[in-house]
Amino acid sequence: MINLSAMLEKNCTKSAVLFNSKKRILEYIAELAHQQLPEMSEYSILEALMTREKLGSTGIGGGIAIPHGKLDCVTSPILIFVVSQDPIPFDAIDNQGVDIFCAILIPKDQCQAHLTTLSGIAKLLTQKDLTKKIRHASSDQELYQLLMDYSQQTGEK
């Protein structure tokens, strides 16, 4: 089980953003992450995300991507949840555009936490009723509340 409320802040939950490239959405995610990690530069965060993308796309199909990176200064996993108004080409495994991005920043030395968090997020995002609601959230607040409510209903905190 993953604890969404411990990993996700309201200001890192964005709905209906307008970007048209993989690089630009990752830059935006790095900007949001920098708010949670002011001691890290946006460039360092972006570099961690891009390093992982070079190994293979984190686009898991169905319009969903889980970009992630390991950072020294992170003490516990941090989520950044962004929904694009239009799908973005992201080299996903199904060759479809991506509109749901759940980025995860993980402590560099916590491999098991990394795998557990990735698995939990992937499981969460396979819930078709949830992804439909995520795509239709009309505001950042609605998206954040939806995620918090869903995790409480399913016991994932």
Side-chain angles (χ1 to χ4, degrees):
M1 297 258 186
I2 58 171
N3 186 346
L4 280 181
S5 60
M7 294 186 276
L8 185 63
E9 298 289 330
K10 284 182 189 176
N11 63 346
C12 287
T13 308
K14 301 296 179 183
S15 166
V17 298
L18 291 169
F19 296 108
N20 60 7
S21 73
K22 182 177 190 174
K23 184 173 188 238
R24 186 59 193 114
I25 193 76
L26 292 174
E27 288 171 345
Y28 182 64
I29 288 168
E31 290 171 29
L32 294 173
H34 175 67
Q35 295 173 14
Q36 298 303 110
L37 300 165
E39 65 278 10
M40 289 290 297
S41 71
E42 289 176 24
Y43 177 78
S44 296
I45 297 166
L46 177 62
E47 188 174 44
L49 295 171
M50 293 297 286
T51 297
R52 172 55 190 86
E53 287 299 319
K54 287 177 184 170
L55 297 174
S57 177
T58 57
I60 63 170
I64 298 166
I66 308 175
H68 51 281
K70 296 178 181 179
L71 295 167
D72 286 326
C73 71
V74 175
T75 56
S76 61
I78 295 172
L79 296 183
I80 297 91
F81 210 100
V82 178
V83 180
S84 176
Q85 186 169 328
D86 298 310
I88 296 170
F90 206 80
D91 304 317
I93 60 171
D94 62 359
N95 294 316
Q96 300 298 308
V98 172
D99 59 349
I100 297 175
F101 300 87
C102 183
I104 309 168
L105 300 174
I106 310 253
K108 200 168 204 164
D109 61 349
Q110 293 183 16
C111 204
Q112 189 55 48
H114 178 87
L115 295 173
T116 302
T117 304
L118 275 172
S119 172
I121 294 299
K123 181 181 172 191
L124 181 76
L125 293 175
T126 61
Q127 307 296 316
K128 296 214 181 286
D129 61 322
L130 177 62
T131 56
K132 184 177 180 180
K133 290 176 184 175
I134 287 170
R135 288 184 169 103
H136 291 98
S138 61
S139 69
D140 299 348
Q141 175 61 36
E142 183 180 337
L143 177 60
Y144 176 79
Q145 197 59 55
L146 170 70
L147 293 168
M148 291 300 104
D149 290 349
Y150 191 85
S151 66
Q152 287 177 349
Q153 290 169 10
T154 58
E156 293 179 0
K157 298 184 185 173

